[in-house]
Amino acid sequence: TAGIDNNFVHPVIRSLAGYSMYPNPSDYPYSVNPYAPLFFITCKWIATLFNLTAADTISIYRVTRSVSLLADTGTLLLLFHIIHIKLKISRVTSIIAITLFFCIICYLGYTINRSDSMFLFFYSSTICILLTTTFKKNIWKPLIAAALVTLCIFSKQNGISLLALVPVWFTLKKDYRALIQFLFFTGIFCSGMFTYFEFFYTNHFFSEHIINSLKNKIDVRWFYVYVFKLIADSYLTLPLGIPLIISIKSLSQNNTQAIKRMSMLFILQLFFCIILCLKWGSSLGYFNESFFLGFVIMTMFYSSIASPVLSVFIDKVIIYTYPVLLVFIFHIIAQLFFFFINSRTSTRGKFNEQVQITNYIKKKIGTQNCYVLDLSNPDFNFFKNMLYKESAAPNIDAVNCCTLPDKIFNYNGLIDGLKTGKILFLIEDKAALEKIHWGVDLKHYRRDTCFTSYSIYKYDSSGLK
């Protein structure tokens, strides 16, 4: 019922319509897709399997969100498998760990309709393979690890952290043969995948999107306001701070080799996440993999110190937390009702209004080589995915923040489109149209028509001198 994270639906719809997921970013429609391709390709395959077309907007959203939910479910199952089966930790402790982890990723919400879900699944699969001891001394473990790391990287670029974590793991185990084999296979898989997407899947534009478009600036203020401050002011410090203390303690003392290796991975991953969060546009979702490793470490540590007396005490204390559980369940149900189920009529009305506007604009543009620019609330509505052919700068958040001001791509044609009328329509909220956008005077755009929540402006050349 909402268009949230519509940037992860747009490439799927464009691909279903026969357009490239990674077009020339310096030409119309000036689309920037800074995300790795596996999530979009998977969603497109499933949509094709169900005979969906680019016009089936809501159905495509259901596909992408179902893929995300399936990937999150797989991650939870892998976390349970790692803790309960691999590490031999009790079923109750394992269930508590995955429940708390699930609460965190749901609270943050960065896997609900994003490629982060698939990335986290392949990341957890890699950790699971590293903890597997049945391979003995053969080629399969580094081979499978290399394949999973490649899938992780091509699900989301943050997966490059595994290019450090996996070699460190093999080094700590003194398995140098597996280390060399992993580096060899990873080099082949990653270079092969990149070559395919760069030279065959796209017309040499793949690297422009997934590498060059991410050259956004280091912003310490952004890190403090939108990352550090949000974590410091919440309980999210606990599942990061506690495993960090455990990791430092384990590395400095004579603990078991298993928890030492996992502690080293956690510290390296946490450091990598913090470095990435210094970039403009980062979010708390960058810590998902740190939370994952953190729960593994906390359960390992708890199982190593838990005594029968402590277990009996905890069992008795847990009984008194049941009222809290009831309050939590009531809170979730109330949220679901008041914000989603109870408001379906109004949200459906907003969507239907956007459908009307879409049909109006498509009819007006017709076969003209013209475009529309959404200046209303482009990150939360459906216009870019219903006007998938006519939308200029559909990823306008990336254009506004980084690629335009930092001159990463050539936007002369886009700027000229506002001056010459190639961008024929502007979608704006009911408020008055802004006078200047991207340094261009919008005085030649006249109000064409109005809807309940939006005003449509059309380029009018009659006022030109």
Side-chain angles (χ1 to χ4, degrees), residues 328-400:
F328 177 75
I329 293 174
F330 171 77
H331 171 65
I332 294 300
I333 294 175
Q335 290 265 23
L336 181 65
F337 178 77
F338 289 116
F339 288 96
F340 296 99
I341 298 176
N342 192 43
S343 60
R344 288 189 66 180
T345 302
S346 61
T347 52
R348 175 65 65 176
K350 290 180 181 179
F351 173 75
N352 289 334
E353 181 184 8
Q354 293 181 31
V355 171
Q356 293 176 10
I357 295 171
T358 296
N359 294 334
Y360 177 83
I361 291 176
K362 282 186 175 182
K363 183 177 180 180
K364 288 285 186 177
I365 290 180
T367 58
Q368 301 178 74
N369 187 23
C370 295
Y371 293 84
V372 54
L373 186 64
D374 182 10
L375 299 179
S376 58
N377 196 9
D379 295 331
F380 292 90
N381 58 37
F382 296 91
F383 287 125
K384 72 175 66 172
N385 289 322
M386 290 189 289
L387 292 163
Y388 57 86
K389 180 181 177 182
E390 296 85 2
S391 288
N395 311 85
I396 196 169
D397 52 342
V399 176
N400 286 337

Side-chain angles (χ1 to χ4, degrees), residues 183-449:
L183 294 174
F184 174 74
F185 289 131
T186 304
I188 292 178
F189 292 158
C190 287
S191 60
M193 289 275 279
F194 180 82
T195 300
Y196 169 74
F197 283 111
E198 177 74 8
F199 299 103
F200 299 96
Y201 193 79
T202 69
N203 188 18
H204 301 75
F205 297 128
F206 183 64
S207 59
E208 291 290 304
H209 287 267
I210 69 162
I211 298 176
N212 289 344
S213 67
L214 296 177
K215 293 179 180 178
N216 40 336
K217 58 189 177 183
I218 301 296
D219 193 334
V220 178
R221 182 183 179 278
W222 176 278
F223 170 76
Y224 175 75
V225 174
Y226 296 103
V227 179
F228 176 80
K229 191 175 179 181
L230 295 179
I231 285 185
D233 195 32
S234 71
Y235 291 114
L236 293 176
T237 52
L238 297 178
L240 293 178
I242 292 175
L244 178 60
I245 294 171
I246 294 173
S247 298
I248 295 173
K249 181 177 182 294
S250 300
L251 292 173
S252 62
Q253 296 180 356
N254 190 25
N255 285 42
T256 62
Q257 289 299 316
I259 195 169
K260 277 190 172 182
R261 287 192 293 269
M262 192 58 65
S263 296
M264 180 60 73
L265 293 194
F266 174 79
I267 291 175
L268 289 175
Q269 182 61 66
L270 184 61
F271 174 77
F272 190 84
C273 292
I274 292 173
I275 294 299
L276 282 181
C277 283
L278 293 174
K279 292 171 65 68
W280 193 100
S282 61
S283 68
L284 296 181
Y286 282 33
F287 288 97
N288 281 340
E289 51 270 38
S290 294
F291 288 124
F292 183 90
L293 293 179
F295 278 104
V296 174
I297 288 175
M298 285 188 287
T299 51
M300 291 175 70
F301 180 75
Y302 169 75
S303 65
S304 66
I305 66 168
S307 63
V309 176
L310 180 61
S311 297
V312 172
F313 172 75
I314 290 176
D315 288 341
K316 291 181 178 180
V317 170
I318 284 177
I319 296 175
Y320 297 99
T321 65
Y322 289 164
V324 178
L325 177 62
L326 292 176
V327 172
F328 177 75
I329 293 174
F330 171 77
H331 171 65
I332 294 300
I333 294 175
Q335 290 265 23
L336 181 65
F337 178 77
F338 289 116
F339 288 96
F340 296 99
I341 298 176
N342 192 43
S343 60
R344 288 189 66 180
T345 302
S346 61
T347 52
R348 175 65 65 176
K350 290 180 181 179
F351 173 75
N352 289 334
E353 181 184 8
Q354 293 181 31
V355 171
Q356 293 176 10
I357 295 171
T358 296
N359 294 334
Y360 177 83
I361 291 176
K362 282 186 175 182
K363 183 177 180 180
K364 288 285 186 177
I365 290 180
T367 58
Q368 301 178 74
N369 187 23
C370 295
Y371 293 84
V372 54
L373 186 64
D374 182 10
L375 299 179
S376 58
N377 196 9
D379 295 331
F380 292 90
N381 58 37
F382 296 91
F383 287 125
K384 72 175 66 172
N385 289 322
M386 290 189 289
L387 292 163
Y388 57 86
K389 180 181 177 182
E390 296 85 2
S391 288
N395 311 85
I396 196 169
D397 52 342
V399 176
N400 286 337
C401 83
C402 311
T403 55
L404 178 61
D406 295 343
K407 299 180 179 179
I408 295 176
F409 303 118
N410 182 359
Y411 285 108
N412 290 335
L414 181 63
I415 302 299
D416 288 341
L418 290 172
K419 299 176 181 178
T420 62
K422 189 174 181 67
I423 298 179
L424 186 60
F425 288 99
L426 301 177
I427 301 174
E428 185 59 281
D429 291 326
K430 254 322 190 37
L433 177 69
E434 58 182 285
K435 295 182 179 180
I436 296 177
H437 189 73
W438 294 332
V440 178
D441 192 337
L442 302 181
K443 62 183 179 181
H444 299 299
Y445 285 91
R446 306 282 188 259
R447 183 174 291 175
D448 182 67
T449 187

